[in-house]
């Protein structure tokens, strides 16, 4: 099976004429379309400096290209769905129903909610050091035992997504999470993916663009972001 960016690019391509602006910041990249749609993708400290002409021949083996493509697909697809409400994953999903929950990507504020409810988590994040994190060498083994997986959507651009979801057992529910999430029904073709939790912004959101350009991250533009989700239909 093709990994998501390869799949979307091969099936739909990229309409360069639809792109108004690409903004590359330290923590995020944003793609603004001419219709006002805004898509973003975290950089995880990768240096990205691309403009529209660089996407004439995208290199899917190149991480900066993958980051910009991810942001583009967010802008192209995330506004096509109806969303009932803005909601946090912890309020939407009853995690107490699960026996073993694995989180890949350290979502600190979400972890605090789990801790307050005394729900155990097994957490992995290869980019951070914290005493709550488990050694990365155990990741796939722990994923294979989980009945719920909260998976950072940055796993798509860094090309670890397919390996991780392929390691899940048949009873596992996979929840994609983060503003980098591509909110497209075709993400449900992948093994066990149950709900996509992502973000949309107001059309032509200059505030978020400015924050990203100045090196800001999620904490800074959170007030301008609607947390939305997409279920398999």
């Amino acid at each position: 099976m093709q990994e998501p960016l390869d799949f979307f690019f091969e099936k739909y391509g990229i309409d360069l004429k639809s792109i108004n602006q690409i903004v590359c910041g330290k923590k995020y990249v944003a793609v603004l379309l001419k219709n006002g749609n805004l898509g973003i993708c975290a950089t995880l400290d990768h240096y990205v400096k691309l403009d529209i002409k660089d996407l004439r021949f995208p290199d899917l083996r190149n991480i900066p290209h993958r980051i910009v493509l991810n942001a583009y697909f967010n802008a192209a697809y995330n506004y096509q769905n109806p969303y009932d409400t803005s909601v946090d994953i912890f309020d939407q999903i009853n995690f107490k129903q699960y026996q073993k929950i694995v989180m890949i990507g350290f979502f600190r504020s979400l972890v605090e909610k789990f801790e307050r409810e005394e729900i155990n988590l097994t957490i992995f994040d290869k980019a951070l050091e914290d005493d709550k994190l488990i050694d990365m060498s155990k990741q796939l083994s722990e994923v294979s035992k989980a009945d719920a997986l909260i998976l950072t959507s940055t796993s798509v651009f860094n090309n670890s997504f397919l390996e991780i979801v392929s390691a899940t057992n048949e009873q596992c529910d996979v929840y994609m999470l983060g503003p980098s999430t591509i909110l497209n029904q075709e993400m449900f073709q992948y093994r066990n993916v149950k709900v996509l939790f992502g973000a949309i912004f107001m059309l032509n959101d200059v505030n978020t663009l400015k924050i990203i350009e100045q090196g800001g991250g999620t904490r800074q533009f959170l007030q301008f972001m609607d947390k939305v989700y997409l279920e398999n239909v």
Side-chain angles (χ1 to χ4, degrees):
M1 179 172 271
Q2 288 175 296
E3 60 86 18
L5 295 185
D6 198 30
F7 169 81
F8 286 118
F9 181 66
E10 186 173 300
K11 184 168 183 177
Y12 299 109
I14 180 170
D15 180 10
L16 296 181
K17 292 180 180 177
S18 72
I19 300 175
N20 182 31
Q21 188 180 5
I22 298 173
V23 174
C24 300
K26 183 178 180 182
K27 295 182 178 178
Y28 277 87
V29 163
V31 173
L32 179 67
L33 302 186
K34 289 177 180 174
N35 64 5
N37 290 7
L38 177 65
I40 68 173
C41 183
T43 65
L44 299 185
D45 293 328
H46 291 280
Y47 177 76
V48 184
K49 192 65 179 173
L50 297 176
D51 57 28
I52 297 172
K53 69 177 186 296
D54 294 316
L55 294 182
R56 287 180 294 185
F57 305 103
D59 182 357
L60 286 161
R61 297 163 301 179
N62 179 290
I63 288 293
H65 281 225
R66 292 179 65 83
I67 290 170
V68 176
L69 273 177
N70 196 137
Y72 167 79
F73 291 136
N74 285 8
Y77 305 140
N78 288 13
Y79 292 79
Q80 294 178 356
N81 312 292
Y83 304 109
D84 294 334
T85 182
S86 180
V87 68
D88 187 86
I89 183 174
F90 195 78
D91 299 323
Q92 183 65 22
I93 306 299
N94 174 22
F95 284 105
K96 290 185 177 180
Q97 67 183 300
Y98 296 109
Q99 302 302 310
K100 182 174 178 61
I101 306 168
V102 172
M103 173 186 283
I104 297 180
F106 190 16
F107 295 93
R108 199 175 298 273
S109 61
L110 179 57
V111 170
E112 290 171 359
K113 294 178 181 179
F114 276 87
E115 289 174 342
R116 282 198 293 270
E117 294 295 321
E118 298 182 341
I119 303 173
N120 290 330
L121 280 175
T122 303
I123 311 169
F124 296 92
D125 194 314
K126 62 183 178 183
L128 298 174
E129 289 186 14
D130 191 284
D131 58 10
K132 292 185 174 70
L133 300 179
I134 307 298
D135 187 276
M136 286 297 296
S137 65
K138 300 177 181 176
Q139 179 173 275
L140 294 183
S141 172
E142 292 297 304
V143 165
S144 71
K145 303 170 191 171
D147 56 354
L149 172 63
I150 300 168
L151 178 58
T152 174
S153 291
T154 57
S155 61
V156 170
F157 90 69
N158 73 20
N159 219 353
S160 62
F161 168 81
L162 212 51
E163 180 184 43
I164 293 168
V165 296
S166 297
T168 59
N169 68 69
E170 289 181 5
Q171 283 72 46
C172 185
D173 292 332
V174 176
Y175 300 105
M176 303 293 297
L177 180 62
S180 304
T181 305
I182 299 171
L183 295 164
N184 184 294
Q185 283 287 336
E186 294 193 82
M187 284 297 295
F188 295 112
Q189 70 183 296
Y190 294 101
R191 181 177 174 85
N192 292 329
V193 174
K194 188 171 184 182
V195 187
L196 307 171
F197 289 91
I200 56 169
F201 300 85
M202 288 180 59
L203 296 180
N204 297 300
D205 183 356
V206 293
N207 293 309
T208 296
L209 285 174
K210 192 175 294 183
I211 288 166
I212 289 173
E213 189 173 33
Q214 293 172 351
T218 315
R219 197 171 295 174
Q220 285 74 41
F221 59 68
L222 189 62
Q223 61 183 311
F224 304 113
M225 180 181 95
D226 277 333
K227 293 181 178 181
V228 295
Y229 69 96
L230 187 65
E231 292 183 288
N232 197 358
V233 294

